[in-house]
């Protein structure tokens, strides 16, 4: 696997982690019966947590 392929795959994996955590927050809010604003807030919070998680995982893997 070339360096470019590895970098591209890692970028896609990072994006997938962020989206998965963000969607999870929104789905949990939906299941708990939150209104639209609550669901949006949970999704945005999940996305931010996903970014932090991805940064942390990248940091410890170095």
């Amino acid at each position: 696997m070339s360096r470019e392929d590895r970098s591209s795959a890692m970028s896609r994996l990072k994006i997938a982690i962020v989206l998965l955590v963000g969607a999870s927050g929104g789905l949990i809010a939906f299941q708990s019966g939150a209104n639209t604003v609550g669901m949006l807030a949970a999704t945005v919070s999940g996305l931010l947590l996903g970014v932090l998680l991805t940064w942390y995982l990248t940091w410890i893997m170095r």
Side-chain angles (χ1 to χ4, degrees):
M1 184 177 244
S2 72
R3 182 174 220 147
E4 289 179 6
D5 290 341
R6 185 172 187 263
S7 177
S8 176
M10 287 302 291
S11 294
R12 286 192 307 258
L13 180 61
K14 289 176 185 179
I15 291 169
I17 290 171
V18 170
L19 292 176
L20 181 66
V21 174
S24 175
L27 289 172
I28 290 171
F30 177 73
Q31 284 290 327
S32 66
N35 59 11
T36 305
V37 175
M39 286 177 34
L40 183 61
T43 303
V44 170
S45 298
L47 289 171
L48 290 174
L49 286 173
V51 168
L52 289 174
L53 175 66
T54 303
W55 172 82
Y56 176 71
L57 291 174
T58 303
W59 181 70
I60 64 171
M61 294 296 286
R62 289 182 185 202

